[in-house]
């Protein structure tokens, strides 16, 4: 987590302390699972490899100043997850930027058909990364969120 903050700070967002970002990340997972439970779906388990894949992506977006599922070098969520050693049969990713809270980010995903389908999909595990600020807009408020969803083989 310290490396995420250092990389994010070097790329321009306002630095936040580890505990605050950990709390926001935990709140994202809780909000995702609350939406799933409301619909009778199993809660997702947090997975360290998926969290690392999400953190890799958020660092890269801040470093190279883009906001997209596909990196400028054409790497995609499945590439990032595979690189972290997670053997999957399905993978998905949700991104959000500018929201001030975890609930706002998850509510935004729930208003979007494609993001909602990912969040409520047939996944077992989730990994979330959060950074303060925006990878593409200087002095932007709120947070940037990456949630990686997967099901093991």
């Amino acid at each position: 987590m310290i490396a995420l903050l250092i990389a994010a700070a070097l790329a321009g967002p306002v630095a936040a302390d580890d505990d605050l970002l950990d709390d926001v990340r935990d709140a994202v997972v809780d909000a995702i699972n609350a939406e799933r439970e409301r619909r009778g779906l199993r809660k997702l388990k947090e997975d360290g490899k998926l969290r690392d894949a999400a953190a890799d992506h958020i660092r890269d977006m801040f470093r190279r100043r883009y906001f997209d599922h596909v990196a400028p070098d054409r790497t995609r969520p499945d590439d990032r997850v595979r690189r972290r050693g997670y053997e999957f049969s399905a993978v998905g990713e949700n991104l959000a930027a500018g929201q001030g809270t975890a609930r706002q980010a998850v509510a935004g995903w729930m208003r979007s058909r494609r993001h909602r389908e990912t969040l409520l999909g047939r996944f077992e595990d989730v990994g979330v990364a959060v950074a303060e600020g925006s990878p593409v807009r200087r002095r932007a408020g709120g947070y940037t969120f990456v949630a990686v969803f997967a099901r093991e083989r």
Side-chain angles (χ1 to χ4, degrees):
M1 191 64 181
I2 291 172
L4 173 62
L5 286 172
I6 291 169
L10 292 174
V14 177
D17 66 68
D18 285 350
D19 291 339
L20 173 63
L21 291 179
D22 286 347
D23 290 347
V24 175
R25 185 190 67 231
D26 292 346
V28 171
V29 174
D30 291 345
I32 287 169
N33 280 327
E35 292 291 347
R36 292 178 63 86
E37 284 186 306
R38 246 179 271 189
R39 289 157 181 82
L41 301 171
R42 286 189 344 195
K43 290 171 65 171
L44 300 175
K45 297 176 304 208
E46 286 187 81
D47 183 89
K49 292 176 182 177
L50 296 181
R51 185 176 50 241
D52 290 345
D56 291 346
H57 190 46
I58 212 166
R59 273 193 301 271
D60 189 58
M61 287 193 297
F62 274 90
R63 184 174 58 84
R64 297 203 264 182
R65 304 197 56 74
Y66 70 95
F67 182 77
D68 201 319
H69 297 285
V70 181
D73 63 6
R74 309 301 296 158
T75 56
R76 306 173 66 81
D78 58 316
D79 299 314
R80 294 185 286 272
V81 170
R82 194 174 293 114
R83 186 175 15 209
R84 283 300 183 162
Y86 185 101
E87 297 293 326
F88 60 88
S89 60
V91 67
E93 179 180 73
N94 283 353
L95 305 178
Q99 294 80 6
T101 68
R103 282 192 179 167
Q104 290 171 347
V106 173
W109 290 334
M110 292 302 292
R111 285 190 299 272
S112 160
R113 181 184 59 80
R114 296 184 96 179
H115 291 97
R116 183 176 54 250
E117 287 172 356
T118 301
L119 193 146
L120 301 176
R122 296 181 57 173
F123 298 112
E124 299 170 343
D125 300 318
V126 66
V128 174
V130 178
E132 194 166 358
S134 166
V136 294
R137 282 185 253 135
R138 294 193 188 279
R139 299 186 192 139
Y143 298 99
T144 297
F145 301 86
V146 176
V148 178
F149 303 84
R151 182 175 63 244
E152 284 188 308
R153 282 185 201 208

